[in-house]
Amino acid sequence: MKPADLCMALRSGLSTLFECSLAPQGAVRVRTPFMYPDGDLIDVFVEQRNDEYVITDYGEAMGWLKMQSFSDKLTSNQRGMADDICMTFGVELNRGQISLLHGDTAGLGEAIHTLGQAVVRISDIWLTLRTRTIGTVADEVEEWLRERSFQVERNRHHAGRSGRSWKVDYQVVAEAKRSLVFLLSTGTQAWARRMSERVVAGCADLIHLTQRQPSTAFVSLFDDTVDVWRDEDFALVQGFSRIALWSKPDDFEAILTTEWAAPSPLLTPR
């Protein structure tokens, strides 16, 4: 079956929550509604090999997991947890790739769903990689905001101009000013850069929100209690949002209550 025909067959067998598109090397990319712990959507890929179909993540889940580690490596215990999860879901973990074989197009939708769930469970292993999780920091920030009587809505999703849905960690209202706050918290420098790039992409795709409502501004809140951030990370986002440090809550509060004219996202941040 040609990749384009396979793509059409998958669309007919999946709900509208799944998006199918052609990928390199004759594969079909399936964007699932499942998410990694940082909010990124999980992709799986389907390709035909001889008379079978292979559903795989091409190693993205294990790669994501390793980047959460301070050493970019997993412990034997964590690898054992991944093996147990794969056994539970009936999928294979080989050379870092999670995959599943299927004989024909019938039931491919269910196989994609199974693999996506396995990826979710494996990505949850990241909770063993650090003692102070992003979830803990996120709760601390929310409590701090509410103590100061801000109107707070957590994990608000907004549709970007591209059609992609972006999760904003906190939507904060102070009088007539609205701040869309992205929380950047990680334990590794490798993932710090990717988080900064994700914030830039989100701000650029959601820029119409600030154009429609000039009192709306983006804020990047860096959890600097872990020393993983470099000057380049701050420079990357500063052209798109105001920068706040969690170690300086007074400055963060001032940012939430003062106006700011955002630069054009078409400009390169300096």
Side-chain angles (χ1 to χ4, degrees), residues 2-267:
K2 294 181 180 180
D5 295 332
L6 176 58
C7 190
M8 293 182 62
L10 291 174
R11 286 171 180 162
S12 65
L14 292 167
S15 76
T16 55
L17 295 175
F18 295 78
E19 300 178 6
C20 301
S21 60
L22 297 180
Q25 300 179 346
V28 174
R29 180 196 306 270
V30 180
R31 173 146 290 177
T32 76
F34 305 122
M35 292 184 179
Y36 288 104
D38 69 338
D40 275 351
L41 293 174
I42 291 172
D43 290 339
V44 300
F45 301 84
V46 183
E47 60 177 87
Q48 186 173 12
R49 296 179 186 173
N50 299 321
D51 296 327
E52 291 185 309
Y53 294 92
V54 179
I55 305 98
T56 178
D57 76 329
Y58 284 145
E60 289 188 356
M62 296 299 287
W64 184 92
L65 195 59
K66 289 178 181 178
M67 283 193 294
Q68 307 308 303
S69 168
F70 287 100
S71 62
D72 285 338
K73 295 180 180 180
L74 301 181
T75 66
S76 58
N77 182 54
Q78 290 154 354
R79 290 194 296 270
M81 292 172 65
D83 289 334
D84 290 344
I85 290 170
C86 288
M87 184 178 298
T88 299
F89 282 90
V91 300
E92 181 182 5
L93 177 57
N94 184 26
R95 296 183 179 180
Q97 296 190 31
I98 305 169
S99 59
L100 180 62
L101 293 176
H102 199 76
D104 52 44
T105 55
L108 269 179
E110 182 178 351
I112 290 170
H113 196 274
T114 297
L115 194 78
Q117 287 184 313
V119 170
V120 170
R121 288 288 303 277
I122 286 177
S123 67
D124 283 342
I125 296 174
W126 82 296
L127 294 172
T128 69
L129 298 176
R130 53 182 297 200
T131 56
R132 189 166 186 257
T133 68
I134 290 178
T136 301
V137 178
D139 290 341
E140 290 177 2
V141 174
E142 181 180 13
E143 182 179 0
W144 180 89
L145 290 167
R146 296 193 185 280
E147 285 177 350
R148 281 150 184 78
S149 300
F150 287 115
Q151 297 180 40
V152 183
E153 186 173 353
R154 187 152 166 195
N155 296 333
R156 174 70 182 271
H157 284 78
H158 291 279
R161 295 179 298 177
S162 68
R164 176 177 177 179
S165 177
W166 295 90
K167 184 189 73 172
V168 176
D169 296 291
Y170 312 95
Q171 182 168 281
V172 182
V173 177
E175 297 181 354
K177 176 178 171 54
R178 179 175 70 159
S179 297
L180 303 180
V181 182
F182 295 94
L183 174 63
L184 295 90
S185 182
T186 182
T188 69
Q189 286 189 341
W191 192 248
R193 184 64 175 185
R194 291 191 61 181
M195 293 191 77
S196 301
E197 291 171 347
R198 182 176 179 275
V199 168
V200 169
C203 292
D205 204 19
L206 296 173
I207 190 63
H208 61 284
L209 299 179
T210 64
Q211 294 170 339
R212 293 174 184 171
Q213 190 175 355
S215 59
T216 296
F218 298 116
V219 178
S220 296
L221 176 60
F222 286 84
D223 173 21
D224 58 334
T225 59
V226 181
D227 187 19
V228 297
W229 305 104
R230 296 171 292 185
D231 291 342
E232 301 94 295
D233 299 316
F234 299 117
L236 187 62
V237 303
Q238 71 178 4
F240 296 81
S241 68
R242 301 187 75 174
I243 294 177
L245 303 178
W246 185 225
S247 64
K248 299 180 178 179
D250 291 342
D251 292 345
F252 180 36
E253 185 172 6
I255 286 173
L256 297 174
T257 55
T258 57
E259 297 294 333
W260 180 63
S264 168
L266 299 179
L267 297 177

